[in-house]
């Protein structure tokens, strides 16, 4: 009899791709894929632990699934991804009801792990530093609507931003080979995909490890020539690695969306230095000006962090003024999450949660006005979607 398996995928699009590959591996190994409430033998929870809210969501879902197991609505629970990679030993001791733990790249051993679970063995498979990276040969069952897909071009991160745990959890930056990315893109388009979203922890660093050069612009050019491609959207770029060549490719290639996802995190030189971002106020402003000038009609999405340790009213006011002036078409704001294992965890001048929330509220009010102004400019226009 086939094993019935179910996956709950939490966190970002990068995690979603991992879940899709896990589903493909399960299907290829003979498992039936079912809903978690449909008599699953094994429930896999692919978790996130990037910030405090993500950890809380993961733990809440784990507790809900444990309740299902206690009610005999499923047999085994396997926790995967970032949370066990970061807190595996703690989770193993705290949650006796969990049957297995695998880290950020443990899913490559999924058939063997599933086999062990069915034999009532408790599994703990968490390497100290993830190294695995899927490719076009990896089986995959997509969880997105038919018309779009995420394509992961790299994994891990080699930056040392003082607030971020990703390098510890996901390992160093590693790029997929260009030919593999192109083959997967062609297969996705053949399956009916109209929009390919390129993702990675830092897509702009693509190729540096493999080819000893920034190769994202070259990859975009080649992807734009894949037969049948409609839209290519670029996500998760880093302002420190955004080249003139990349701007030119985004401008000139009709298949590449004039949309740039550019997380800046802050604009104050003092805070950027404490964040160890490798950028300055001037470099960010120069880049934004160059992008706006070079790519007519470009849409820029950014993300910022408020309440970082040492952010005074002066630095926050500088950030608010910058947002009012730059008028980003899309903006996401986060309150600083103090994470163990990061340099910023030990910083002095931590901001109280109440103050962080008040600053977040103000940023969102400012951006609402900006968004309203931007949206009014679209009235009367016809757009392809």
């Amino acid at each position: 009899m086939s094993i019935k398996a179910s996956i709950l995928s939490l966190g970002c699009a990068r995690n979603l791709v991992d879940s899709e590959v896990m589903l493909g591996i399960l299907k290829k190994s003979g498992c039936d894929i079912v809903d978690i409430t449909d008599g699953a033998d094994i429930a896999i929870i692919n978790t996130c632990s990037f910030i405090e809210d993500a950890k809380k969501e993961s733990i809440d879902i784990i507790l809900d699934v444990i309740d299902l197991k206690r009610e005999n609505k499923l047999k085994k629970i396997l926790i995967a991804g970032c949370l066990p990679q970061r807190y595996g030993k703690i989770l193993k001791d705290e949650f006796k009801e969990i049957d297995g733990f695998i880290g950020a790249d443990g899913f490559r051993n999924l058939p063997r792990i599933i086999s062990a679970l069915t034999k009532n063995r408790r599994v703990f498979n968490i390497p100290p530093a993830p190294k695995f990276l899927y490719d076009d040969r990896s089986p995959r069952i997509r969880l997105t609507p038919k018309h779009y897909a995420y394509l992961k071009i790299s994994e891990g991160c080699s930056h040392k931003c003082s607030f971020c745990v990703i390098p510890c959890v996901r390992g160093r930056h590693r790029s997929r080979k260009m030919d593999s990315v192109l083959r997967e893109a062609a297969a996705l388009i053949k399956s009916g995909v109209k929009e390919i979203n390129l993702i990675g922890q830092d897509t702009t660093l693509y190729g540096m490890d493999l080819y000893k050069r920034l190769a994202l612009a070259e990859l975009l050019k080649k992807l734009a020539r894949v037969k049948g491609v409609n839209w290519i959207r670029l996500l998760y770029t880093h302002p420190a690695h955004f080249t003139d060549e990349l701007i030119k490719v985004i401008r000139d290639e009709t298949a590449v969306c004039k949309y740039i996802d550019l997380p800046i995190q802050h604009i104050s030189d003092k805070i950027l230095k404490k964040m160890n971002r490798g950028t300055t106020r001037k470099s960010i402003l120069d880049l934004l000006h160059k992008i706006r000038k070079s790519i007519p009609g470009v849409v820029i999405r950014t993300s910022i962090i408020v309440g970082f340790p040492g952010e005074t009213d002066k630095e926050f006011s500088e950030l608010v003024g910058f947002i009012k002036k730059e008028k980003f078409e899309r903006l996401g704001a986060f309150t600083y999450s103090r994470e163990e294992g990061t340099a910023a965890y030990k910083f002095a001048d931590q901001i109280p949660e109440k103050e962080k929330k008040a600053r977040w509220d103000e940023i969102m009010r400012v951006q609402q006005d900006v968004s309203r102004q931007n949206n009014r400019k679209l009235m009367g226009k016809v757009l392809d979607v």
Side-chain angles (χ1 to χ4, degrees):
M1 187 175 73
S2 295
I3 296 169
K4 294 181 179 179
S6 177
I7 284 185
L8 293 174
S9 189
L10 308 176
C12 65
R14 299 180 291 268
N15 236 27
L16 183 69
V17 172
D18 290 346
S19 295
E20 292 175 340
V21 174
M22 279 193 267
L23 282 173
I25 292 171
L26 290 169
K27 188 75 173 176
K28 187 176 180 180
S29 65
C31 292
D32 291 330
I33 309 302
V34 299
D35 187 89
I36 193 168
T37 59
D38 191 24
D41 295 307
I42 296 174
I44 302 170
I45 308 173
N46 192 15
T47 59
C48 179
S49 67
F50 179 48
I51 57 176
E52 188 62 33
D53 286 348
K55 289 185 284 187
K56 186 178 184 303
E57 181 190 28
S58 293
I59 294 297
D60 288 346
I61 293 294
I62 288 170
L63 292 172
D64 288 343
V65 174
I66 286 174
D67 286 342
L68 291 177
K69 184 181 179 183
R70 287 171 178 162
E71 295 165 6
N72 295 317
K73 293 180 179 178
L74 58 86
K75 296 176 182 177
K76 304 289 183 182
I77 302 172
L78 178 64
I79 308 300
C82 296
L83 194 70
Q85 184 68 45
R86 192 174 174 194
Y87 299 109
K89 291 181 180 178
I90 296 173
L91 295 171
K92 184 181 179 183
D93 293 338
E94 288 290 325
F95 294 107
K96 303 298 183 183
E97 303 90 341
I98 304 300
D99 303 282
F101 304 86
I102 57 176
D105 66 358
F107 55 87
R108 57 177 162 173
N109 302 314
L110 209 48
R112 179 171 58 80
I113 289 164
I114 296 296
S115 176
L117 293 178
T118 60
K119 295 171 184 174
N120 294 320
R121 298 175 190 161
R122 201 175 191 216
V123 174
F124 189 83
N125 185 348
I126 302 176
K131 295 180 180 179
F132 178 67
L133 181 58
Y134 90 101
D135 61 25
D136 61 292
R137 298 167 297 178
S138 303
R140 181 177 171 188
I141 297 176
R142 286 198 295 112
L143 296 170
T144 52
K146 186 177 181 181
H147 65 282
Y148 74 89
Y150 295 105
L151 202 170
K152 191 187 291 191
I153 64 173
S154 62
E155 182 58 274
C157 186
S158 296
H159 288 285
K160 298 197 182 297
C161 298
S162 63
F163 56 83
C164 186
V165 299
I166 286 177
C168 300
V169 175
R170 287 283 179 172
R172 291 185 60 78
H173 175 90
R174 48 205 187 274
S175 306
R176 286 178 57 185
K177 292 181 179 179
M178 205 172 292
D179 288 347
S180 176
V181 174
L182 294 170
R183 285 192 296 268
E184 185 177 15
L188 289 170
I189 292 164
K190 189 175 180 181
S191 73
V193 169
K194 303 298 182 185
E195 176 181 338
I196 292 175
N197 296 278
L198 300 184
I199 58 174
Q201 309 295 344
D202 174 9
T203 53
T204 37
L205 199 59
Y206 173 79
M208 184 58 75
D209 53 325
L210 285 181
Y211 309 117
K212 309 306 176 189
R213 67 182 189 278
L214 297 176
L216 181 59
E218 180 184 346
L219 175 64
L220 279 176
K221 280 183 185 177
K222 291 183 177 181
L223 282 169
R225 281 151 184 72
V226 174
K227 186 178 180 181
V229 68
N230 284 66
W231 277 2
I232 302 165
R233 190 182 300 276
L234 181 60
L235 304 178
Y236 308 124
T237 66
H238 193 296
H241 306 138
F242 220 100
T243 65
D244 290 348
E245 184 185 8
L246 180 58
I247 292 173
K248 185 176 184 298
V249 170
I250 295 172
R251 181 194 68 197
D252 295 345
E253 296 293 345
T254 56
V256 179
C257 294
K258 312 313 173 197
Y259 172 95
I260 294 174
D261 182 68
L262 190 74
I264 60 166
Q265 310 305 0
H266 216 280
I267 197 60
S268 160
D269 280 333
K270 171 190 162 184
I271 301 299
L272 289 168
K273 185 176 180 180
K274 291 186 72 176
M275 287 180 167
N276 199 30
R277 286 289 290 166
T279 55
T280 63
R281 176 186 176 93
K282 184 179 186 303
S283 69
I284 290 170
L285 289 173
D286 287 348
L287 177 60
L288 290 172
H289 176 74
K290 188 181 294 184
I291 289 172
R292 296 274 191 205
K293 185 178 179 181
S294 302
I295 309 173
V298 69
V299 167
I300 301 178
R301 186 262 173 190
T302 195
S303 64
I304 59 168
I305 296 172
V306 298
F308 191 79
E311 182 192 61
T312 65
D313 290 343
K314 178 184 176 183
E315 283 85 45
F316 179 67
S317 296
E318 183 180 356
L319 180 61
V320 171
F322 165 75
I323 291 169
K324 287 180 178 178
K325 184 177 180 181
E326 289 302 319
K327 293 181 169 47
F328 290 100
E329 286 79 7
R330 300 284 185 275
L331 182 141
F334 301 86
T335 57
Y336 166 69
S337 181
R338 190 181 184 188
E339 297 298 321
E340 311 98 318
T342 64
Y345 182 81
K346 298 179 181 179
F347 284 178
D349 301 321
Q350 298 284 334
I351 309 296
E353 289 299 323
K354 185 177 179 181
E355 180 62 26
K356 286 194 276 187
K357 178 63 166 58
R359 291 180 183 183
W360 183 87
D361 286 340
E362 184 173 346
I363 288 289
M364 287 292 94
R365 283 194 295 271
V366 169
Q367 184 59 28
Q368 279 183 334
D369 289 337
V370 171
S371 294
R372 192 176 295 112
Q373 294 172 41
N374 287 334
N375 289 343
R376 282 175 180 153
K377 295 175 184 177
L378 297 174
M379 291 178 67
K381 294 187 178 181
V382 178
L383 306 171
D384 288 333
V385 297

